[in-house]
Amino acid sequence: MKILLVAVNSKFNHTNIAVRSIVRYVKKNFGDAEILFDEWTINMPVQEILRGIHSHKADTIIFSTYIWNSEIIQKILKDIKKILPKILVGAGGPEAGFDAENWLKKNEALDFVVCGEGEKTILEISEKGKISQEIKGLYIKENGEIKFTGERDLICNLDELPFPYEKIEDPDNRIYYFESSRGCPFNCSYCMSSLDKRVRFFSLERTCGDIQKFLDANVALVKFVDRTYNLNEERYLKIWQYILDHHNGKTMFHFEIEAEFLSEAALNFLQKVSENVMQFEIGVQSCNPKTLEAVGRSKEIKKLFENIKRIPKTIHTHLDLIAGLPFEDLSSFGESFEKVLSLKPDAMQLGFLKILHGTVMKSFAGKNGWQWMTSAPYEVLSTPYLSYEEILFLKDVEILTDAIYNSGIFSVTANYIGRKIGWKKFFFEAAEHARKSGALDDARKNIFWFKWLADYFVEDKIILQILKFDYMKLQKTSSFPDWMNHIYKKENHLEAMNANEKLFDNRIEFAFSDYDEFSIDPLAEHPEETSGTFKYLFVYKRHNSKIKNCQIKLNS
C-alpha cells in the first residue's frame, strides 16, 4: 500500500508538521512502509492540486484538515475519485477529526476519518495494507453505515516520535513549526485544545537536541505549537536558557504563553533576552471578568497586565482579543480594546469567535442565541450582546488596527494618538469615518493610509508633524506628498553627516540618508509641549548593512 498524506497550507512558506511527523514515525517503525507527503496551498487552483495528487500514484490518500483548508479540500474530494476511482480516501486533523460523522456523510468520496493522534493509527493502516475495524481511532464508512473503531490510546512517551523534518529547506523563508509538548490543562470553552487535558512532554534532552538542529540550519523562524508553552517552569526555563547559550544570532523562536503564570524567576530571566531571539503570543481575549469566567479563562487580569509590562521590549509581544464572547457587548469590548493597546504591544490581533466542533462553546452558543457561519471558519455572525452590524463595525476596527497600529509604520503617530485621544475613541470614531468615506472598500497600500490620516487630522498641526516624521523614517524617497512640508537644506544634510561620520563609510552614503526639520519634537515624551526648530538626520538601512533605519536628533 502506498499512502500519500496531503497538506494544503494557508501560505506557501508554511510547513505542515503533522504530515511530516506521521511519515517519519511510520518509516521508523515499519521499514517496508511506502508512505510520503506533499504540500500545496489554498491559493492554488483545485486542478493543479488534483494533478499533483495524481502524479504520486498512491493507493491511499489522507488529507490533513483544518478550518483554513476545509473548503478547498472538500472541493478536491468532489473530483478525486473521478480521476482515481480505485483510491482509498481518508481525512484527519482537527477539522475532520472532531466532526467525523458529518464529514463522512457530506463527502461521498471519503472512506474514513482518522480521529486523534495519527501516528499509530496510520502506522497500523500501513502495516495491514488496509483499513479495518481492528485499527483504533477510525471512523469508517461501509455500505452507507458509519462505524467507530474506538478511542486510540495517546502516545505517552513523545520521544518515540522522530524529529519531524528529514530535511530543512529554504531556512530563510519557510516557517518551521515545532512541538515540545502535546495537550493543554486549561478549560477555554471555545478552544479545541481544551478537549485534551492529558499534557505530555518531550524530554528536555530531546527538545534541546531538536532546537539545535534548527540553530545549525540557521532557520529564520521556529514557531512552537505547544498550546501553552510555560506549563512546567523548571523545564521551560532550561529550554530558554539553552536557546540563549547556543543562539546563532539569526533564529527567532515563537512561543504561545499564559503571561499571568510567569513567575518572578521567569520574568527575571527574560531581562537577559536580547533582540531577535524570542517572540511571544499572549491571549488576553477579554478584560471583562464575567466574560473570562464564562469561557473558563483565568480572571487574573491585574497579574496578567503586570507581567506583560515586565516583559522587556527586546521580546516582540503579540496580544490577542476575541470579539463575540459571552457578556461582551460593544462597550465592554471597547474597554478591553483600550486596556490592551494601553500596554503598547508590538501587535494586537482583534480576532472573532469561532464556534468549533466538539467545544463546550458550540453547545453553549447553540442554546443561547449565537449565530455563526455554517461552513469553516465557523465565525460568529451575531451574539445576544453584539448584533451583526456591530460585528461588521468591529471588522472595520480590525482593518484600521492592522493598518495603523500593527504595521508599525505609524508607530510615533499611533503612540501620540493613543495618549492624547485614547485608543478606543480614535479607532472606533475613525472606523465610522473610514466606512463612510469608502476607505475600507479595497485593500490599501501604506501610502494611502498616510494620506488618509493627514486628511483625518487636517486641522491638527502637531499630529501632521508627527505623521511627517513617520513618513520620513520609513524609507528613502524622492516623492513627498502634498500634505507634507519637507524642509530640506543640502548644507544642513552634509553638516549632519559630518557630525555623525562613524555611521558613514564614504560620500556615497549620502544617498542612504535624508534631512528634515520639525516645528515640534516628534520623539519628545510630550511633543505638544515643545516648539521651535527640531532637526533630524534619517539614516536608512543599506543592502548587506548592519545599520538599521535610525533617526538622529541634531542640535536645534
Side-chain angles (χ1 to χ4, degrees):
M1 171 184 275
K2 184 177 181 180
I3 300 174
L4 172 67
L5 303 186
V6 175
V8 185
N9 302 326
S10 58
K11 294 183 179 179
F12 76 94
N13 63 338
H14 289 188
T15 54
N16 185 305
I17 188 175
V19 296
R20 285 172 167 81
S21 179
I22 292 169
V23 166
R24 297 216 68 195
Y25 181 83
V26 172
K27 286 184 175 180
K28 172 188 172 183
N29 290 280
F30 181 39
D32 294 331
E34 198 173 3
I35 184 170
L36 73 158
F37 72 88
D38 205 344
E39 292 178 288
W40 293 269
T41 75
I42 59 174
N43 298 313
M44 290 180 173
V46 169
Q47 284 191 341
E48 184 176 340
I49 300 174
L50 284 168
R51 179 173 182 165
I53 292 171
H54 181 271
S55 70
H56 287 291
K57 307 299 182 185
D59 305 301
T60 300
I61 300 170
I62 306 175
F63 292 89
S64 177
T65 66
Y66 302 87
I67 57 174
W68 63 78
N69 66 15
S70 173
E71 182 178 356
I72 191 168
I73 285 177
Q74 292 187 68
K75 288 180 180 178
I76 295 167
L77 287 172
K78 290 178 180 178
D79 294 322
I80 192 68
K81 288 195 175 179
K82 294 176 183 176
I83 60 171
L84 296 165
K86 297 181 180 180
I87 202 97
L88 192 65
V89 180
E95 176 63 8
F98 283 105
D99 192 28
E101 292 192 51
N102 191 38
W103 266 69
L104 287 165
K105 287 176 182 176
K106 70 182 180 182
N107 295 292
E108 186 177 345
L110 201 59
D111 299 301
F112 67 97
V113 169
V114 179
C115 185
E117 291 180 334
E119 285 89 356
K120 288 190 173 182
T121 302
I122 295 176
L123 170 61
E124 290 184 20
I125 292 174
S126 183
E127 289 172 332
K128 293 180 182 298
K130 62 179 181 179
I131 59 171
S132 75
Q133 296 286 340
E134 298 173 5
I135 301 174
K136 299 293 185 184
L138 291 177
Y139 280 85
I140 300 173
K141 183 165 59 182
E142 292 181 348
N143 302 319
E145 291 187 23
I146 297 171
K147 299 176 181 179
F148 181 48
T149 62
E151 293 286 344
R152 160 76 59 185
D153 290 338
L154 296 174
I155 299 171
C156 295
N157 178 15
L158 295 183
D159 284 3
E160 293 177 13
L161 301 173
F163 182 65
Y165 299 99
E166 187 172 3
K167 293 187 293 184
I168 294 180
E169 300 174 313
D170 197 9
D172 289 329
N173 299 304
R174 300 205 76 169
I175 299 173
Y176 279 84
Y177 295 91
F178 177 67
E179 59 181 354
S180 71
S181 67
R182 289 184 177 180
C184 180
F186 300 111
N187 300 304
C188 303
S189 64
Y190 48 81
C191 181
M192 283 183 172
S193 298
S194 67
L195 302 177
D196 179 11
K197 304 189 187 309
R198 296 161 290 185
V199 180
R200 294 149 291 145
F201 297 96
F202 286 84
S203 69
L204 183 63
E205 180 181 12
R206 164 64 190 277
T207 300
C208 292
D210 287 351
I211 287 171
Q212 190 61 51
K213 292 174 183 176
F214 292 123
L215 292 170
D216 290 343
N218 287 313
V219 171
L221 178 60
V222 176
K223 297 189 78 168
F224 276 63
V225 296
D226 303 43
R227 299 314 303 160
T228 301
Y229 170 76
N230 58 313
L231 290 175
N232 182 319
E233 179 180 273
E234 181 180 5
R235 180 177 183 278
Y236 77 73
L237 284 179
K238 286 181 178 178
I239 294 172
W240 279 348
Q241 186 65 60
Y242 184 91
I243 290 171
L244 291 197
D245 290 343
H246 298 83
H247 199 257
N248 57 12
K250 177 179 179 179
T251 305
M252 174 74 79
F253 291 91
H254 176 103
F255 302 95
E256 187 171 333
I257 68 168
E258 294 284 343
E260 64 266 42
F261 301 126
L262 290 173
S263 67
E264 190 68 20
L267 290 165
N268 288 335
F269 175 91
L270 294 177
Q271 308 312 309
K272 301 186 295 182
V273 179
S274 57
E275 284 189 301
N276 302 317
V277 176
M278 296 181 190
Q279 60 187 30
F280 289 166
E281 181 176 350
I282 302 170
V284 178
Q285 318 309 17
S286 173
C287 298
N288 184 333
K290 194 173 181 181
T291 297
L292 294 172
E293 182 176 16
V295 297
R297 285 188 64 82
S298 168
K299 295 181 288 183
E300 296 289 333
I301 288 293
K302 182 179 179 181
K303 180 66 173 175
L304 172 64
F305 279 24
E306 288 174 353
N307 285 357
I308 290 173
K309 290 175 182 177
R310 291 184 60 186
I311 296 172
K313 288 301 180 181
T314 54
I315 298 175
H316 181 96
T317 304
H318 175 138
L319 304 183
D320 295 341
L321 279 178
I322 297 178
L325 295 174
F327 307 110
E328 192 89 278
D329 58 16
L330 200 58
S331 175
S332 172
F333 187 83
E335 291 177 17
S336 296
F337 184 88
E338 178 74 31
K339 289 175 181 177
V340 169
L341 279 183
S342 295
L343 294 170
K344 297 183 181 178
D346 294 292
M348 186 197 75
Q349 178 176 309
L350 196 172
F352 293 81
L353 179 66
K354 295 173 177 60
I355 310 295
L356 302 177
H357 298 302
T359 61
V360 174
M361 189 67 213
K362 183 174 183 181
S363 176
F364 177 86
K367 297 174 182 177
N368 291 281
W370 267 254
Q371 296 293 330
W372 62 92
M373 297 169 62
T374 302
S375 302
Y378 315 110
E379 197 168 273
V380 67
L381 298 172
S382 66
T383 80
Y385 312 94
L386 285 173
S387 67
Y388 179 58
E389 288 77 12
E390 289 171 326
I391 292 284
L392 293 179
F393 170 73
L394 290 178
K395 288 281 186 180
D396 296 342
V397 172
E398 178 192 22
I399 294 171
L400 284 184
T401 303
D402 285 341
I404 296 171
Y405 188 92
N406 292 340
S407 68
I409 292 167
F410 304 94
S411 57
V412 184
T413 305
N415 184 57
Y416 180 82
I417 288 172
R419 182 175 61 82
K420 289 294 290 183
I421 300 175
W423 300 109
K424 174 189 174 183
K425 180 176 174 59
F426 166 68
F427 278 106
F428 277 38
E429 291 180 356
E432 289 278 9
H433 176 79
R435 175 54 65 202
K436 290 176 182 176
S437 65
L440 305 176
D441 292 344
D442 300 297
R444 306 291 190 175
K445 295 183 178 180
N446 296 330
I447 194 69
F448 170 86
W449 292 112
F450 274 104
K451 176 68 164 60
W452 187 85
L453 283 168
D455 290 343
Y456 190 79
F457 290 110
V458 66
E459 302 295 332
D460 193 320
K461 292 182 171 54
I462 293 174
I463 288 184
L464 291 177
Q465 286 285 293
I466 299 173
L467 190 63
K468 179 173 88 160
F469 185 87
D470 274 330
Y471 189 91
M472 290 297 299
K473 73 179 175 60
L474 182 60
Q475 63 187 14
K476 177 72 174 181
T477 182
S478 59
S479 175
F480 300 98
D482 294 339
W483 60 265
M484 179 180 146
N485 180 23
H486 180 42
I487 302 174
Y488 179 78
K489 298 175 184 176
K490 185 175 180 179
E491 59 271 24
N492 288 357
H493 187 175
L494 290 169
E495 182 182 349
M497 287 181 62
N498 290 332
N500 295 274
E501 59 183 354
K502 291 182 180 179
L503 285 175
F504 303 97
D505 298 328
N506 53 57
R507 305 307 284 175
I508 199 171
E509 305 291 356
F510 184 85
F512 294 95
S513 62
D514 209 335
Y515 170 89
D516 211 329
E517 297 177 1
F518 302 82
S519 59
I520 52 95
D521 186 357
L523 290 185
E525 186 175 356
H526 297 96
E528 69 278 10
E529 297 177 6
T530 65
S531 63
T533 300
F534 298 88
K535 304 173 183 178
Y536 276 88
L537 175 68
F538 296 84
V539 182
Y540 305 103
K541 180 176 175 64
R542 279 98 65 202
H543 182 63
N544 293 329
S545 170
K546 293 183 180 180
I547 298 174
K548 298 180 179 180
N549 282 12
C550 62
Q551 306 84 47
I552 302 168
K553 184 179 178 181
L554 309 171
N555 292 333
S556 301

